[in-house]
Amino acid sequence: MAVWGGIERILVEKMNYLAETYHYDVHMITSNQGSHPIPFPLSKKVNYHDLDIRSYREYRYKGLKRLFVRYKLNRLYRNRLKSYISQTKPDVIVCIRLFLIGPILSIKGNIPVIVESHSSCKQYKYELDSLIKIIVEKHYLRQATKAQHIVALTNGDANDWKKLNPHISVIPNIVHLNDEGVYSDCTSKSVIFVGRFSRQKDIGILIDIWKNVNKKRPDWVLHIYGGYGEQYDYLHSLVETSNWNIFVHEPTKHIFKEYIKSSILVLTSLYEPFGLVLPEAMSCGLPVVSFDCPYGPADIITDSVDGFLIPNRNIDEFADKLCLLMSDEQLRKKMGNAGIKSSQRYRDSLIMPKWDNLFKMLKEKYSSHD
């Protein structure tokens, strides 16, 4: 919870809503927060507790010593978590990290556990680059089969999870939408990309697409906003030695202002558990162009209505659709207006009742087992 990221913001906003609107007794438990502040405003009605495990300490050591320290820290985590659960006696436990499911299941007693899939069920196919990592990830997935319920963000991810655990719901993320009443007029010759400079976001293919577009529309610019990732140095060195009208910016707390100054948003990810930037940008009146990657964009974009959904990794078609939007201001405005309407599906007032219903169902089901 020390990171200014999309998941962290969503979790805080959901806990605030549950505590303030539904008057739930919400407890947020972290293990390594230490003295780092919570990056987003947390309601005073949310009970916050850090277990103070500081699991990063294992990396001070090597070999067998590291394994021994890891064992001790994991044991400390289980003991402190068990103690806190015994004191608070929650009706439901929600876990968002696969590697924490095993310890939670081992000490939770009869309390139902929900696994919220903020990474794709098959993420290991796209992200992991070693056999050992894949084996470990599959071990975590097997543990998730023992959870009482899985919440997926998209229909595609839900279908993958159903092969492992039939008790599943699809509940999209709530999205922080544009409430300023000011929207892009889609007249600026500016395209925006927002995302970490990571392998998942595939900055390389974004650059390849833009090189093709720049040859045809050299009057347009690409603004890239993103945080640090393994492709950070690659992107900066490439942009500094090129002349493709690409500008790289540090992350900003005022990203909606940048959306409104732009005319198109692009997304080139290898996979997307959801794709927060899509409805964010749509709520600002931007048409969006994205690969049809597993699985978020297909749930969010209505192809040729509020944006374009491109066959996955088809660089030429992506560039063609981008050039089409660049050449047609009225099409940009039409799609942008459609996006404003369709993005409203992700308001908290529409999403959070689904969580409320799920919690009530699980409480009723498992309280009858006591």
Side-chain angles (χ1 to χ4, degrees):
M1 266 295 177
V3 179
W4 291 86
I7 293 177
E8 289 74 18
R9 185 178 68 196
I10 290 167
L11 291 175
V12 167
E13 290 180 353
K14 286 198 297 188
M15 288 185 286
N16 290 347
Y17 196 98
L18 289 169
E20 295 176 356
T21 303
Y22 289 128
H23 308 293
Y24 274 71
D25 182 17
V26 180
H27 293 253
M28 182 177 79
I29 305 173
T30 58
S31 57
N32 300 304
Q33 191 73 18
S35 60
H36 296 286
I38 304 298
F40 301 99
L42 186 67
S43 170
K44 294 181 179 179
K45 295 184 179 180
V46 175
N47 303 281
Y48 169 59
H49 180 72
D50 184 56
L51 300 176
D52 192 29
I53 305 302
R54 292 177 289 166
S55 56
Y56 55 83
R57 288 180 291 175
E58 71 172 81
Y59 297 105
R60 298 174 183 173
Y61 309 96
K62 296 181 180 180
L64 293 177
K65 178 67 172 178
R66 177 184 293 183
L67 293 176
F68 177 68
V69 172
R70 181 183 300 173
Y71 167 78
K72 290 179 62 177
L73 292 172
N74 287 342
R75 184 175 179 180
L76 180 65
Y77 172 79
R78 286 194 298 270
N79 290 340
R80 289 184 177 177
L81 181 61
K82 183 177 182 179
S83 175
Y84 191 81
I85 289 174
S86 298
Q87 294 172 25
T88 56
K89 297 180 174 58
D91 296 306
V92 180
I93 298 172
V94 181
C95 175
I96 66 164
R97 299 296 188 191
L98 288 182
F99 68 90
L100 294 176
I101 296 171
I104 291 173
L105 291 175
S106 70
I107 53 91
K108 64 144 182 113
N110 293 326
I111 303 168
V113 172
I114 298 172
V115 175
E116 188 176 2
S117 177
H118 278 278
S119 59
S120 299
C121 176
K122 293 184 176 180
Q123 177 182 352
Y124 64 89
K125 286 190 171 183
Y126 314 104
E127 281 283 314
L128 304 183
D129 53 5
S130 75
L131 180 59
I132 293 177
K133 290 180 180 179
I134 292 174
I135 291 173
V136 171
E137 189 73 10
K138 287 189 174 182
H139 169 69
Y140 293 148
L141 288 173
R142 284 193 295 271
Q143 291 179 327
T145 65
K146 301 174 185 177
Q148 281 65 50
H149 209 84
I150 304 287
V151 170
L153 304 180
T154 65
N155 291 292
D157 197 37
N159 289 333
D160 287 341
W161 276 109
K162 283 178 184 177
K163 300 170 185 177
L164 302 175
N165 189 325
H167 306 292
I168 190 159
S169 300
V170 178
I171 306 180
N173 277 327
I174 62 173
V175 179
H176 185 66
L177 300 175
N178 172 30
D179 287 319
E180 298 298 319
V182 180
Y183 306 97
S184 169
D185 61 10
C186 295
T187 59
S188 68
K189 296 182 177 182
S190 175
V191 176
I192 187 170
F193 171 93
V194 180
R196 298 183 314 277
F197 300 149
S198 65
R199 182 175 179 273
Q200 178 202 347
K201 302 300 182 181
D202 204 350
I203 299 295
I205 205 169
L206 171 64
I207 300 301
D208 289 339
I209 292 167
W210 189 257
K211 285 192 292 185
N212 291 342
V213 170
N214 183 247
K215 294 175 184 177
K216 301 175 183 178
R217 299 305 304 256
D219 50 335
W220 279 69
V221 298
L222 172 63
H223 291 282
I224 299 177
Y225 287 84
Y228 286 93
E230 58 269 25
Q231 295 189 338
Y232 180 89
D233 293 335
Y234 158 77
L235 176 61
H236 276 270
S237 62
L238 189 64
V239 169
E240 289 171 1
T241 58
S242 69
N243 186 27
W244 299 321
N245 275 358
I246 300 175
F247 299 90
V248 181
H249 310 270
E250 295 298 314
T252 174
K253 298 178 184 178
H254 308 292
I255 192 62
F256 283 88
K257 292 182 179 179
E258 305 307 324
Y259 288 141
I260 292 169
K261 290 191 293 186
S262 306
S263 291
I264 305 167
L265 175 122
V266 292
L267 186 68
T268 54
S269 300
L270 289 168
Y271 71 96
E272 275 294 344
F274 184 70
L276 277 173
V277 298
L278 294 173
E280 280 184 355
M282 291 161 71
S283 76
C284 294
L286 296 189
V288 296
V289 184
S290 172
F291 283 126
D292 186 11
C293 63
Y295 287 108
D299 277 25
I300 297 170
I301 300 171
T302 302
D303 186 42
S304 300
V305 175
D306 48 29
F308 288 117
L309 199 60
I310 309 300
N312 205 12
R313 318 336 287 166
N314 189 326
I315 294 176
D316 292 337
E317 184 163 346
F318 199 116
D320 288 345
K321 287 296 191 289
L322 197 48
C323 287
L324 173 62
L325 282 172
M326 290 174 172
S327 64
D328 193 336
E329 181 180 315
Q330 292 307 310
L331 179 61
R332 296 197 300 271
K333 291 181 176 180
K334 181 181 177 180
M335 285 188 166
N337 288 330
I340 294 171
K341 296 177 182 178
S342 65
S343 65
Q344 306 308 307
R345 295 171 288 164
Y346 302 107
R347 287 200 173 275
D348 51 12
S349 58
L350 297 178
I351 300 298
M352 292 309 296
K354 298 179 181 182
W355 279 103
D356 182 40
N357 291 334
L358 176 58
F359 290 146
K360 288 176 179 176
M361 182 274 290
L362 289 173
K363 181 180 179 182
E364 180 179 358
K365 178 178 180 180
Y366 288 93
S367 61
S368 64
H369 292 175
D370 294 340

